[in-house]
Amino acid sequence: MQQLLKTPTGINGLDEITEGGLPLGRLTLVCGGTGCGKTLLAMEYLVRGATQFNEPGVFMSFEEKADELSKNFASLGFDLDELIDQKLLTIDHVRLEPAEIEEAGEYDLEGLLIRLGYAIDSIGAKRVVLDTIEALFSGLSNKNILRSELRRLFHFLKDKGVTAIVTAEQGELTFTRFGLEEYVADCVIFLNHSVYQQIATRRIRIVKYRGSAHSTNEYPFLIDQQGFSVMPISSLNLDHKTSSKRISTGVERLDTMLSTQGYFRGSSILVSGTAGTGKSSLAAHFVNAACTRGERCLYFAFEESQNQIIRNMHSIGIDFSQWVEQGLLQFQNARATQYGLEMHLVAMHRIIDQFKPTCVVIDPISNLVATANVAEVKSMLSRLIDYLKMKEITVLCTDLTTPDDSTLEHTEVNISSLMDTWLLLKALECNGERNRVLYIIKSRGMAHSNQIREFIFSTKGIDLRDVYIGSSGVLTGSARANQEAKNLAEALDCQQQIEFREREIERKKLAIEAQILALNTQFEAEKENLIRLINKEQQRNHTLLLDQQAMIKLKQADTPSPLDNALADTEKGDVE
């Protein structure tokens, strides 16, 4: 099966939502209201074709002259005069004054077709733009002739083998003023320039595309110094890569609470809380840790200027100026109400693609509610988060919650379900003071602490302390300090009692040892006296025995007497 051939426009994002570009050799209608960017899209289509694909183009204008167009597009960096000199572009201005047109006889475009054919043949054009087509039929009331001449014009362009764009003004109830062009064209692109709460937003939509699949959603587009760019972010699928690598939060104890290693790289983190709870400071630690690792970080701030952020973070020991000087940190500071929601989104995409950061901070996302309703903000942020995940960029978003809510476990734009890690900061009021605490509501894919931590600021940064659980509940601030002082006093008293009893034991031990020593001394004295008596008795017995033996010899007796035997036994030590 032969598929429809397409011509790439070269315009950022437009080829993606058209899935390859405009239909080759056919006509595309670009319609919309005043100031929506029709002429810019058409001219950039020719310029990109000439510079990127070496395809010459013809721009036939019915409103602006060639020199006016050259001056207008010079502000976007398009040098039309140079392209004309290189035979890559031809601009033909056809002057038509509606007041001078009088309807009489048959109406046809023969003269215009001859003029257009000559312009195409003179440079071998592959691309053609007619801007705008209403001027051709402004004095014509017969719709049958109008439809016939439109078909004739479109067939002429097809026969020439060029890929053409025709611009048209939007009608009241139709895409075009006459309501016929969209039926004849093979592809219809609608540009919308709407205003919501005094903020303008531009969007593009592919209304129809014969013979080809295409995206049907509305997409934001941006017109700036680089021209026309479309961000087809709603077409992102949930097929982005995931990483198991971990990066530090910038706060040591918070890393410990997150399975000792911090966030997953490429994940999305939400820090929510009321005003003054430390959301921006926690984001600053995350940025400082990323820059310390030598990674680039992009900081989108909707409330404070760059200099104010740098000054404020000095108070907690973070020096952002060094990272800015080294090119590792870039700030993008703008009020959320400066321009439309989709413009913010497209601008973020462009800056991210240019700076190529590994970490992004958006502070705070709740300010975007001022530019659109909650549903639109959620849609925009979901697309941005998907885009960052596709790029494997870690994003940290702060969100301001109101203190009068019955529960703080929700976000202003209901985006918590899209986040991988959610940190909640609260202010606890007790004893006439407010103290901060931190919770980890969730952290997908990792074990994490379910404990509350007291959130402390100092000149060295953020410190997380274990909260004190008293008889009346969680104690923080001075209440905790008072309770800890009482506990310390009780601990000291207990320690003193222990030391006293240990000394008492030692004293008793010494007394008993003294008694034992005295008894041992008495025992030794008595023992010595008894031994002396024993020796004395033994000596006396020995003397008696000698005397007896002498008597026996004198008496010449044959047998000793019983007394003699007793004395002999005593001499041997057998008598007790």
Side-chain angles (χ1 to χ4, degrees):
M1 296 177 61
Q2 185 176 4
Q3 295 183 349
L4 179 68
L5 299 179
K6 298 184 179 182
T7 297
T9 64
I11 297 175
N12 184 26
L14 183 56
D15 290 336
E16 296 178 41
I17 63 175
T18 56
E19 299 189 7
L22 305 182
L24 178 65
R26 298 189 182 187
L27 185 136
T28 297
L29 174 67
V30 177
C31 53
T34 303
C36 63
K38 301 182 297 296
T39 302
L40 173 61
L41 186 149
M43 181 61 80
E44 187 167 348
Y45 163 70
L46 296 183
V47 173
R48 300 297 181 191
T51 57
Q52 297 180 14
F53 306 104
N54 195 31
E55 294 184 356
V58 172
F59 189 96
M60 180 166 283
S61 172
F62 304 108
E63 294 180 345
E64 296 178 277
K65 297 180 180 180
D67 57 340
E68 294 174 342
L69 289 170
S70 296
K71 292 178 181 179
N72 293 343
F73 286 96
S75 62
L76 302 177
F78 298 160
D79 191 348
L80 302 185
D81 294 331
E82 182 180 357
L83 294 176
I84 293 173
D85 294 339
Q86 296 177 2
K87 302 296 183 181
L88 292 173
L89 178 65
T90 293
I91 299 178
D92 189 4
H93 174 246
V94 179
R95 180 177 176 273
L96 292 173
E97 292 293 339
E100 299 177 1
I101 297 177
E102 181 178 353
E103 187 173 358
E106 294 185 358
Y107 182 90
D108 63 50
L109 301 176
E110 188 63 31
L112 178 68
L113 299 182
I114 294 174
R115 187 168 178 173
L116 181 58
Y118 174 78
I120 294 173
D121 296 336
S122 62
I123 61 172
K126 300 295 183 182
R127 304 184 180 207
V128 170
V129 168
L130 301 181
D131 182 47
T132 64
I133 199 168
E134 287 84 5
L136 288 175
F137 307 102
S138 57
L140 187 63
S141 61
N142 191 326
K143 289 189 176 182
N144 292 328
I145 297 177
L146 173 60
R147 179 183 291 270
S148 174
E149 290 303 305
L150 278 175
R151 289 186 178 277
R152 183 183 179 194
L153 173 61
F154 293 172
H155 283 303
F156 171 80
L157 294 172
K158 288 183 179 181
D159 292 339
K160 297 296 289 186
V162 295
T163 305
I165 287 181
V166 173
T167 65
E169 292 290 340
Q170 181 182 4
E172 293 183 3
L173 300 176
T174 56
F175 288 108
T176 60
R177 187 174 299 175
F178 298 108
L180 300 174
E181 298 92 323
E182 59 263 37
Y183 298 104
V184 182
D186 295 287
C187 178
V188 178
I189 299 176
F190 179 69
L191 305 182
N192 181 29
H193 191 192
S194 60
V195 178
Y196 177 79
Q197 295 184 354
Q198 300 180 351
I199 298 174
T201 302
R202 290 185 173 94
R203 293 184 176 90
I204 185 173
R205 179 163 67 98
I206 311 300
V207 177
K208 80 171 186 179
Y209 200 135
R210 288 174 180 162
S212 173
H214 60 281
S215 299
T216 58
N217 297 329
E218 281 192 341
Y219 300 95
F221 69 90
L222 176 66
I223 297 176
D224 60 6
Q225 293 81 2
Q226 299 180 11
F228 193 103
S229 60
V230 184
M231 288 297 166
I233 38 189
S234 2
S235 61
L236 294 175
N237 298 320
L238 292 176
D239 56 359
H240 47 74
K241 297 180 180 179
T242 56
S243 174
S244 298
K245 295 181 179 179
R246 307 286 282 275
I247 58 176
S248 174
T249 65
V251 180
E252 183 177 356
R253 290 213 66 187
L254 184 54
D255 288 343
T256 303
M257 295 177 70
L258 293 168
S259 188
T260 71
Q261 299 180 67
Y263 309 126
F264 279 120
R265 183 176 293 281
S267 64
S268 55
I269 303 102
L270 175 66
V271 181
S272 63
T274 56
T277 50
K279 301 181 295 297
S280 297
S281 299
L282 198 59
H285 276 73
F286 172 69
V287 171
N288 190 61
C291 293
T292 302
R293 295 191 300 267
E295 300 176 6
R296 289 189 174 188
C297 190
L298 190 57
Y299 197 117
F300 293 100
F302 296 129
E303 291 183 335
E304 299 176 281
S305 66
Q306 174 177 329
N307 293 332
Q308 186 177 356
I309 294 174
I310 293 175
R311 181 203 65 187
N312 294 345
M313 294 310 157
H314 269 294
S315 64
I316 57 175
I318 296 178
D319 183 11
F320 274 160
S321 58
Q322 59 175 330
W323 307 128
V324 174
E325 293 173 359
Q326 295 178 24
L328 294 175
L329 175 60
Q330 181 175 327
F331 285 92
Q332 293 295 322
N333 306 78
R335 289 291 182 187
T337 54
Q338 181 173 346
Y339 37 74
L341 182 65
E342 302 295 356
M343 185 73 77
H344 276 294
L345 184 58
V346 175
M348 286 179 175
H349 273 251
R350 176 164 290 177
I351 296 169
I352 290 169
D353 289 339
Q354 292 174 350
F355 189 63
K356 301 186 184 306
T358 58
C359 297
V360 168
V361 169
I362 306 174
D363 181 32
I365 58 175
S366 49
N367 277 28
L368 295 172
V369 177
T371 65
N373 58 51
V374 173
E376 290 178 342
V377 174
K378 181 177 180 180
S379 175
M380 171 263 195
L381 290 174
S382 64
R383 290 179 288 172
L384 177 60
I385 291 170
D386 285 342
Y387 174 76
L388 293 172
K389 284 188 175 183
M390 182 184 70
K391 296 282 188 179
E392 296 187 77
I393 297 174
T394 309
V395 56
L396 186 147
C397 302
T398 67
D399 179 71
L400 176 65
T401 55
T402 54
D404 56 349
D405 290 332
S406 59
T407 174
L408 297 179
E409 294 185 15
H410 78 282
T411 61
E412 187 72 18
V413 293
N414 301 323
I415 200 175
S416 58
S417 61
L418 301 174
M419 296 295 180
D420 298 309
T421 299
W422 184 8
L423 308 180
L424 175 62
L425 303 179
K426 282 186 179 181
L428 300 182
E429 297 186 8
C430 182
N431 298 331
E433 61 185 24
R434 299 175 74 249
N435 298 287
R436 306 173 182 89
V437 293
L438 179 144
Y439 305 73
I440 299 178
I441 303 298
K442 70 173 183 179
S443 190
R444 292 169 177 163
M446 68 177 74
H448 56 278
S449 174
N450 63 350
Q451 301 295 309
I452 304 172
R453 295 289 185 270
E454 188 172 0
F455 198 80
I456 305 296
F457 284 114
S458 70
T459 56
K460 296 182 180 179
I462 293 174
D463 184 28
L464 299 179
R465 301 176 60 191
D466 293 335
V467 296
Y468 183 84
I469 307 298
S471 58
S472 59
V474 176
L475 299 180
T476 58
S478 61
R480 172 181 179 154
N482 292 335
Q483 186 63 41
E484 287 180 341
K486 291 180 182 179
N487 292 344
L488 180 60
E490 293 177 357
L492 289 175
D493 182 66
C494 182
Q495 183 64 28
Q496 290 173 355
Q497 292 294 330
I498 292 173
E499 292 176 354
F500 172 77
R501 282 171 170 72
E502 288 178 346
R503 290 193 299 269
E504 186 71 18
I505 292 173
E506 188 66 22
R507 285 194 298 269
K508 288 184 178 181
K509 176 183 176 183
L510 293 175
I512 293 173
E513 288 178 348
Q515 292 177 0
I516 293 174
L517 180 61
L519 292 173
N520 285 334
T521 302
Q522 182 181 358
F523 172 75
E524 292 296 330
E526 293 178 357
K527 178 181 177 181
E528 182 180 356
N529 185 44
L530 291 174
I531 291 174
R532 182 175 59 78
L533 293 174
I534 291 172
N535 291 335
K536 182 178 179 181
E537 290 295 329
Q538 288 179 346
Q539 184 65 31
R540 188 174 67 82
N541 290 338
H542 182 69
T543 302
L544 290 175
L545 181 60
L546 293 177
D547 292 342
Q548 183 184 8
Q549 290 176 350
M551 290 297 296
I552 291 173
K553 290 180 179 182
L554 290 176
K555 294 178 179 181
Q556 297 181 350
D558 297 329
T559 308
S561 65
L563 178 61
D564 296 333
N565 292 334
L567 291 173
D569 292 338
T570 303
E571 182 71 17
K572 295 178 181 179
D574 295 335
V575 179
E576 294 181 358

